[in-house]
Amino acid sequence: MIEILIAALIFIGALLGAIGALGVIRLPDVLIRMHASTKIGTLSCGLIMAGTAIWFGDRDVIIRAVAIILFILLTAPIAAHMIGRAAVATGVPLWNTRDLADEKTMPEKIIEREIAKLDD
């Protein structure tokens, strides 16, 4: 039974890591890519480390796995924040949703139409 839990933790962690990698490739903007890589990477690494700690069950391995998880939880958001600040400060072109949105479905246009209806 414990082997099933370990396999599930490691498999879900690997699957989430693959989804995060796919997000880094497919997402349009540096900030959105950074979000995908940081959140999913942290979660997948945590799940794999939890599976490893359960598999070995040794006190030293559990302490190291918990230390790795805490280190990643503490450093990944800071690194992502600094990458985001550097991207904005250097003027990296960001994804413009106005290029893809229809003028009629943009929230500003909907609000303007509703206000125009009230004025009539």
Side-chain angles (χ1 to χ4, degrees):
M1 184 65 183
I2 195 78
E3 290 86 8
I4 295 172
L5 174 66
I6 294 166
L9 286 172
I10 293 175
F11 179 74
I12 293 170
L15 184 66
L16 289 174
I19 291 170
L22 184 64
V24 169
I25 293 170
R26 296 284 299 159
L27 292 173
D29 187 0
V30 67
L31 298 178
I32 301 170
R33 288 179 190 150
M34 175 191 61
H35 181 76
S37 66
T38 304
K39 303 296 181 196
I40 299 293
T42 302
L43 181 61
S44 68
C45 183
L47 288 172
I48 293 171
M49 285 292 110
T52 304
I54 294 171
W55 173 256
F56 288 104
D58 186 31
R59 186 177 61 93
D60 292 336
V61 174
I62 293 172
I63 290 171
R64 287 179 185 165
V66 170
I68 290 169
I69 292 169
L70 289 176
F71 179 76
I72 290 174
L73 284 173
L74 291 174
T75 57
I78 296 168
H81 177 74
M82 297 311 293
I83 291 170
R85 285 187 62 165
V88 171
T90 58
V92 173
L94 301 176
W95 182 46
N96 189 358
T97 58
R98 292 180 188 269
D99 293 342
L100 300 176
D102 182 22
E103 286 285 325
K104 297 176 183 174
T105 60
M106 293 178 67
E108 311 79 63
K109 299 297 181 180
I110 294 171
I111 292 171
E112 288 174 9
R113 279 198 315 265
E114 292 300 320
I115 290 175
K117 286 181 187 176
L118 290 174
D119 289 340
D120 291 338

